[in-house]
Structure formats: C-alpha cells, structure tokens
Amino acid sequence: MMAKKSYLLLITLCFYLCCCSKNNAEIINGTAEVQSLDAAFMQVSKTAVAGATYQAEVYLPYAGGNGAAFENGTSITSTGVLGLTATLQPGRLEKGYGSLLYKISGVPAQAGTASFVLSFGGKSSVVALEVSQKTNASLLYWGFFDDSGTPMSFYNGFGKKPSMAMMFNGWTADGSREFPSTFCQEASAAGYVPHVTWEPMMGLDELMSGKYDNDIKRYGEALAKFGKPVILRFAHEFNGDWYPWSMQNDQVVPVATYIKAFRYVHDKVRAAGGTNARWVWAPNNANGNKNPQTVESYYPGDDYVDLIGMDGYNFGTSQSWSSWQSFAQVFGPLYNKLTTTFPNKPIFIAEMGCSSTGGDKGAWINDMFAQLETQFPKIRSFVWFNINKETDWRFTNGQEAISAFKTGLSNPRVGMDPTLGGIIR
C-alpha cells in the first residue's frame, strides 16, 4: 500500500514538473515566487551598439525570493528597438534578496531603447536597455597628462573636449601601491576615460616574488568597485633603458621576464574582479642605447593586450644629444612596425610632446594633425604630455602653439568620445 501511494505521488509530481510552468520558467522543487522585481537597479555587463552583434548578461534584482529552483525560460523578444531577445538562465532563488540572470543576444536594429517585459514568480517588470549609436571608427580622439594642479576642466576650452585623461601610478616597494580611485572618479565625472600608467618601480622579479600579491588583489578589487572601463598601461617603454623593468642593476631585463610579469599581474587583477581594465602594451618609439631586444619580442600575446600604445617625443635641441624631428620622424618607423606585426590591434599614441626649443612648435603641431589624417590613419587617439619637465612640452605655452592646437581640433575628423570610437567599452 505504501509503495502504491509513493508511486502515485511520484506520478503526480512528475506531471506537475513537466506541465506546470510559470512566467516562462520551469519550476522545480516547488513554485518559484518573489514579492517584487526591481528593474531600476538592474546591471548590464556590456553596452549595446546599433547594428553590432550583442551578447550580454542582465542581472534583475528581486525581493522576497522563496528559495525554489527553476530552469531556463523561453526567449522574450524586445520591443522599441527590435532584434534582441532575453532568456532567463536556470538557478535557485535566494530566500529574500537576490538577482535573476538573463542573457540578451541579437543585433539591435537601431539606436534607442530596447524594452523587455520580464515575468517571474508572479511578478512582472519592464527592463529598458539603451542602445547607442554606432560610432565613427575613423575619428581621432585626444587626451592629456598634467600633474601641475591645473583643473581638468581647463582642457575643455580648446574647441573639442578631451576624451582621455592620463596619470602615472608609481608603485614602490616602500610606498603607495593603491589603485588611484579618486583620479578615475574625477576623470569619469568630467567625461573622460581614465588612463592609468602603472609603474612597478620595485622591479619585475620583486613584483612576482609573492610579497605584493595582496596589493595586486586589492588593486583589482578597487578596479572592479570603480566599475567603468580604465585604460591600464602597465610597465610602459619597456624597450628603453631608463626604467627598472627594462634595466636593473645595469643589466637588461630579459624579454621573458617582462612577458611573465605582464601576464602575472594581468591574471591576478582579473581574478580579483578587475575585468574592466583595458590593458595597454606601449613601447617607446626607439630603444634605449643599452637595450638590444626587439620591440615585437616583448609582446605578451593577444589574450593579454587590448590596445597598443606608442610613446615618443620631439626633444628638439633641448638635450645635448637631440635634434629637431618631425612628427613622422618620431613615430613613423614604430607605427609601420606595429601596424604590420599586429594589424588587428587598436593603436594610439599613449604619450607624446614637442619641445619649444630648436624649431617652430606651431608648425610642428599643424603638421602633426595633417600627418595623423593622411599618413597615420590607424591611430585612434593621442595623449599630449602637457608639462614642463625635461623641456617645455606644453602646447599651452605660446599663442602660436595654442592656435595650431585649436585649429587641429576643429577638424571634423576629431571627435569627443570616452569610448574612443567604441574600442573602450
């Protein structure tokens, strides 16, 4: 008798599980119920762009979950902007607060708002996903470095607002090793993508000794907490001979050590949640005299590099060893090498400047903008090193240089976009 009752109970349960579904999700271990869904606090993993293939995850918060498990739901099509579907992923409700995971995919037909009516556990909510206009990949964007105390807003006054603000984050064995959250927040609030140059001044072997792993973990956690994309330029100008990651104890740091360190830090930052970093590999335009290793031999691999940067300066006659060089002389050879060797990676000038000594700075800037349009079409942006350091690099020192810079920025090809035309998302 007990066996028969158990058998009937099993039949009834199987019928319920197979036939009774609710809100596009098959309920198991009881009926999944929530008290509310709150689309106002949803999180989306990626920005949607009109006409571009889109795959992302949406986390829809709920309250009053009853702990029941559920399977995946049927696909819900978008309204407003067409071409997208949202599909509930299987899981188990928390008892109380939690989030449902939906995967959204497709090709949004145009810019605007894609809406989804999502129902679960007896409640419904309208999720609105903003779809941005496709940006112009041929545009040029600009940024600045200035640690003199000049307000960031100063750089909005030259006709085209910057798209990037850069800073140097010097890590030392006995000093600060924190992620520069304040700088990133200020840059983002101003409408720029933050560009952090991360300098491991203790040296690469020391960095990989394990003593700094907790610091790297905190760095990744702080990146994740910031939440928005950050351009992270780690151990730049490695082919020189003036930084401890290229020369240490008067010995050239081997290429293999550099690659190992780049990957080591990259992986630990990502493991700590810092997936919003966009990693930059940035050689100098010329090797240091003591460094015979080729630029391309330093490359950590496509899986570790999001963007390629170039650093270069026209020192003019400011140094005993220097002479006036055109923009093409400074960047042409490295540009040709990088675009040939790594044709599928976005490239930008991560750091540049022109001396005020030895030539006509205004004419140099005019030529720079002309060269960027005609001879360097793959360069997506440039960062001007706008301080007086080894020489006066500032484009803001002298009316001719200022006028030339404003004229260059007035070209319709120069845009304003912290995503740099969609490559930083």
Side-chain angles (χ1 to χ4, degrees), residues 50-306:
T53 300
Y54 184 65
Q55 291 184 329
E57 296 176 337
V58 170
Y59 295 87
L60 177 61
Y62 60 79
N66 67 349
F70 54 91
E71 293 187 350
N72 60 295
T74 57
S75 295
I76 307 299
T77 58
S78 59
T79 59
V81 173
L82 304 179
L84 296 171
T85 60
T87 306
L88 176 69
Q89 302 302 295
R92 181 181 291 275
L93 294 173
E94 299 290 338
K95 291 185 176 180
Y97 296 95
S99 293
L100 301 171
L101 171 61
Y102 286 83
K103 288 194 174 180
I104 296 183
S105 61
V107 179
Q110 73 274 339
T113 303
S115 297
F116 303 87
V117 179
L118 303 180
S119 299
F120 185 90
K123 304 297 178 182
S124 295
S125 185
V126 177
V127 167
L129 177 70
E130 294 303 317
V131 179
S132 63
Q133 187 65 50
K134 187 175 182 180
T135 51
N136 190 338
S138 67
L139 292 183
L140 175 71
Y141 307 92
W142 79 285
F144 65 90
F145 165 74
D146 185 349
D147 64 356
S148 68
T150 302
M152 287 185 179
S153 58
F154 169 78
Y155 288 95
N156 295 341
F158 295 91
K160 289 278 176 64
K161 183 178 176 179
S163 299
M164 183 190 307
M166 192 263 278
M167 62 92 69
F168 290 90
N169 185 208
W171 264 41
T172 62
D174 55 358
S176 175
R177 294 185 295 279
E178 300 296 326
F179 175 73
S181 297
T182 299
F183 165 81
C184 290
Q185 290 162 359
E186 291 175 354
S188 181
Y192 320 137
V193 60
H195 171 179
V196 176
T197 303
W198 192 1
E199 301 179 300
M201 304 305 291
M202 72 286 289
L204 300 183
D205 285 325
E206 175 78 1
L207 180 64
M208 293 187 289
S209 68
K211 294 192 299 184
Y212 304 94
D213 284 1
N214 285 335
D215 296 318
I216 298 172
K217 181 175 182 289
R218 286 197 300 271
Y219 204 90
E221 290 170 345
L223 253 168
K225 185 176 181 180
F226 174 65
K228 299 177 182 179
V230 174
I231 294 175
L232 193 57
R233 185 169 57 132
F234 176 74
H236 66 306
E237 300 178 8
F238 42 81
N239 58 321
D241 55 14
W242 46 85
Y243 285 124
W245 50 87
S246 53
M247 289 286 296
Q248 195 159 38
N249 300 322
D250 205 35
Q251 298 294 317
V252 176
V253 175
V255 162
T257 300
Y258 174 83
I259 292 174
K260 182 180 178 182
F262 196 106
R263 294 175 176 177
Y264 182 89
V265 175
H266 173 282
D267 289 346
K268 288 188 178 298
V269 167
R270 287 188 64 85
T275 56
N276 50 316
R278 304 296 178 259
W279 291 80
V280 176
W281 177 76
N284 193 57
N285 70 314
N287 272 38
N289 291 332
K290 299 178 181 179
N291 192 343
Q293 301 175 125
T294 63
V295 166
E296 56 269 33
S297 67
Y298 280 92
Y299 191 62
D302 285 348
D303 291 342
Y304 291 87
V305 175
D306 298 305

